[in-house]
Structure formats: C-alpha cells, structure tokens
Amino acid sequence: MSYKKILTVQDISCVGQCSLTVALPILSACGMETCILPSAVLSTHTAGFSGFTFRDLTDDIPAISSHWQKENIKFDSIYTGYLGSTKQIDYVKDLFSNVSADKCIKIVDPAMADNGKLYPAFDETYVEAMKTLCAEADILLPNITEACFLTGTEYKTEYDQTYIKKLTEKLKALGAKTVVLTGVSFKEGKTGIYVNEEKNSNYYEHDKVSNGCHGTGDVYASAFVGALMNDKTIFEAAKIAADYTVKCIEITQNDPTHWYGVKFEAVLPTLIKMLNLN
C-alpha cells in the first residue's frame, strides 16, 4: 500500500464523536495522511445537547483552497460529510477541480436527512445543490432517506430489492459512478449495505442492533474510505465498514451514560486487523 493523502471536509463537533472527530482518527488509524477542512466548529453536536455554540467557517474555505493551490498541494481522495450550506457545496466542487491529484477518488456522503425527513437546517434548495455535488462523485454514500430526496422517490420503510435497485440506478443517473446505500433491510432483525457499481450490484447483510447511536453514519463512511484507500474493493470496503460500525455500536450498548455517540476508539485495533495493517 502506498502512503495516501486524504482530505475530508465536514464540521468539527468538539464533543460528540461525529464528523471530523470521527473521520480524523479513523482514517489516521487506517494509515492515511489525513488532512481536514472544517466547515464549522460546534461545542457539541446538535442531537440531545442544548445551548451548543456554532461558528460558521464558510468564508474561510476559499482562502484555504487558494493557499493549497499556490503550494501545489493535491489529494489522492477527497471525502465530504456534513456541509452546512449551498455555498459550501459550491466551494467543495471547486476543491474537486483544483486540489485533486491524478486519479483522485471523490467520495460524497450527502449527510442531510434520516428517517424520512431532512435535517432541520436544510430545505429543497439544499437538496438541489447537493445533487450537483453527487453528480461529481466517484462514490456516493447515502442512506435511504437521502437517496429518496435526491431522486424524488417516495420514502418507504418496507420495500423489496427492485425498489432498492431502482433507487440506486436513479442516483447513478445523477452522475455518481458507484452508489453504496446504507441501512437497507429486507427482513426483520437484519440490515445491510447495497452496492451498485458500474457493472454489478451486491448486498451485504448483517444483524441489526436494536438501539441506534448518533454518529454511526460518520463512523461507517470514514471506515469505508479507510478500507478503500487500503486497496480493498468497493464491496470489500463496504463490508469491513459495516462490520466495524456494528462492533462500535455493540461495545457502547451497555453504557447508558454514553448516549451521544459510539466508542469507536476502543474498536480501532479490530479495524486495523480487518485491514491487515498489523
């Protein structure tokens, strides 16, 4: 494995185990040089905490990008998570154009919705802007809710494989080369990942942990990127990331005081073993 340089663009929630505080340690543990571009700084994440602080860093992004271009800094992969505005989406597209190394892999997690609803900060204008970013993605990592908003598809909690395949095909029609759809459940007690690549589709099923946790989407996406950049195939990376995320949830289940995220750090040795890095 060559030493890869990755840029991840998302917010910093100083407490809460999500976004950059998840992406940076996971990708670093996977052996990547991990560079960050924070879109905002929050004292905590917004799910369950009250009175949190928020500082928008949108206006800093162009100057940072400009400096990188002057220094001829390029990245082997650019991975985006939560972006706070349509303006940030436009800036990320500029980054794709200006700081991508040759054969840079562009991975977009359109973090904007769950459980059939958009996050409170977003509206249809944001969805339309996100479509333009997804069009430039080599790999798209949505959940089913996000996929439905991006494609104008009716959101369902009960569905069959035809529904899921059509959903991923619509996402590819936006321009994304590969879709890794998370949270796909065809039977009770099970969930999994549906991967639609250029020429084939595959599904990986695993047990569904009853109690979900905040930040697991970020844990999954970061582990996926780390595995992929360690020369795993897309489907292999999807499976490794799923298994790692489940273990993170399981190890957190019996600690009611740890309600705000998962103890992903304790499971990093397992992820390293999965990648054969030790």
Side-chain angles (χ1 to χ4, degrees):
M1 181 197 77
S2 60
Y3 188 55
K4 307 283 178 51
K5 181 185 288 185
I6 295 177
L7 170 64
T8 181
V9 187
Q10 47 192 308
D11 69 277
I12 297 175
S13 292
C14 298
V15 172
Q17 294 173 305
C18 65
S19 302
L20 282 180
T21 56
V22 163
L24 178 56
I26 289 178
L27 289 169
S28 297
C30 292
M32 308 291 114
E33 178 184 353
T34 308
C35 307
I36 64 170
L37 181 48
S39 57
V41 178
L42 295 84
S43 54
T44 66
H45 64 62
T46 60
F49 293 104
S50 60
F52 52 85
T53 66
F54 174 87
R55 182 174 293 276
D56 185 359
L57 300 180
T58 302
D59 293 339
D60 293 293
I61 296 175
I64 293 171
S65 176
S66 178
H67 181 224
W68 287 344
Q69 291 173 61
K70 289 177 182 177
E71 296 292 330
N72 196 33
I73 294 170
K74 303 288 186 179
F75 301 98
D76 299 304
S77 177
I78 301 176
Y79 149 46
T80 72
Y82 184 95
L83 302 172
S85 66
T86 58
K87 196 172 185 180
Q88 289 189 358
I89 291 173
D90 289 336
Y91 287 155
V92 167
K93 289 189 290 184
D94 289 340
L95 289 167
F96 281 176
S97 298
N98 296 320
V99 297
S100 294
D102 185 38
K103 298 182 180 179
C104 175
I105 300 174
K106 304 173 185 70
I107 302 168
V108 173
D109 176 2
M112 62 179 184
D114 204 0
N115 298 316
K117 297 179 180 179
L118 287 170
Y119 295 155
F122 298 142
D123 56 17
E124 287 298 328
T125 300
Y126 185 87
V127 173
E128 291 301 313
M130 181 56 72
K131 288 180 184 179
T132 67
L133 184 62
C134 294
E136 299 189 24
D138 293 304
I139 302 173
L140 193 59
L141 299 174
N143 59 37
I144 292 177
T145 299
E146 290 156 350
C148 288
F149 275 106
L150 288 167
T151 61
T153 302
E154 180 187 0
Y155 172 74
K156 296 182 179 180
T157 55
E158 295 183 7
Y159 43 77
D160 57 16
Q161 292 198 28
T162 299
Y163 173 85
I164 294 298
K165 184 172 178 59
K166 287 182 178 178
L167 190 57
T168 56
E169 289 293 343
K170 288 179 183 178
L171 289 168
K172 289 173 69 176
L174 292 175
K177 296 179 179 66
T178 294
V179 176
V180 178
L181 187 64
T182 62
V184 179
S185 177
F186 294 119
K187 52 188 170 184
E188 189 175 353
K190 299 288 185 178
T191 189
I193 314 299
Y194 188 90
V195 179
N196 189 328
E197 300 186 60
E198 184 177 354
K199 295 181 180 179
N200 61 293
S201 298
N202 289 287
Y203 178 64
Y204 178 63
E205 184 180 77
H206 57 81
D207 290 338
K208 183 176 183 179
V209 183
S210 57
N211 295 325
C213 299
H214 185 81
T216 51
D218 299 330
V219 169
Y220 179 86
S222 301
F224 172 84
V225 175
L228 184 74
M229 299 306 289
N230 271 283
D231 301 322
K232 301 298 183 184
T233 68
I234 292 173
F235 190 55
E236 286 171 342
K239 292 192 292 183
I240 288 169
D243 290 340
Y244 172 66
T245 303
V246 169
K247 290 182 181 299
C248 293
I249 297 171
E250 288 175 343
I251 201 173
T252 312
Q253 288 293 293
N254 295 325
D255 185 354
T257 68
H258 203 93
W259 53 268
Y260 49 84
V262 290
K263 299 177 180 179
F264 72 92
E265 303 92 341
V267 196
L268 282 173
T270 301
L271 177 60
I272 292 168
K273 287 181 181 179
M274 290 176 180
L275 298 176
N276 299 315
L277 296 179
N278 57 355

